[in-house]
Amino acid sequence: RSLRRPLRRTTRMPAPLAHARAILVARLERLVTLTEVYRGDINDTGVRMLSHAIDATMGDLEDAGLSGVEIGKIVSHAREAVRKDQP
């Protein structure tokens, strides 16, 4: 018989995972904002770099348990926030 106690299922996620998700969400929002704000000012290499960073961050968020729909909402809200702030 194992001495380990079975893991208890909870609805709360462990604090380190919640913290990591918050960091990744903030990173995704910042990258989307940079892309929207500087779209006309950066060259093709800059656009590719930002696109790659956004894709990587989205993948990290999926690995952290967010669905594609949730990630899409984060991107949409970040884009909307930039458009509201621009004249």
Side-chain angles (χ1 to χ4, degrees):
R1 178 175 129 151
S2 175
L3 296 176
R4 285 191 247 164
R5 293 180 12 206
L7 291 176
R8 201 176 67 199
R9 292 189 186 265
T10 63
T11 55
R12 289 181 37 197
M13 71 182 87
L17 181 57
H19 183 69
R21 282 185 183 179
I23 290 170
L24 290 169
V25 167
R27 179 173 189 236
L28 181 59
E29 290 170 340
R30 186 176 68 250
L31 290 167
V32 170
T33 299
L34 286 171
T35 302
E36 293 294 318
V37 170
Y38 295 106
R39 183 177 301 279
D41 297 330
I42 55 178
N43 61 22
D44 291 342
T45 302
V47 170
R48 281 194 306 274
M49 288 174 59
L50 282 170
S51 293
H52 180 72
I54 289 169
D55 289 343
T57 304
M58 290 171 71
D60 291 342
L61 281 167
E62 285 180 348
D63 291 344
L66 266 67
S67 71
V69 172
E70 292 170 311
I71 295 169
K73 287 179 182 179
I74 294 166
V75 171
S76 294
H77 289 142
R79 285 185 177 148
E80 288 174 19
V82 170
R83 291 181 184 141
K84 287 180 183 176
D85 289 343
Q86 291 181 341

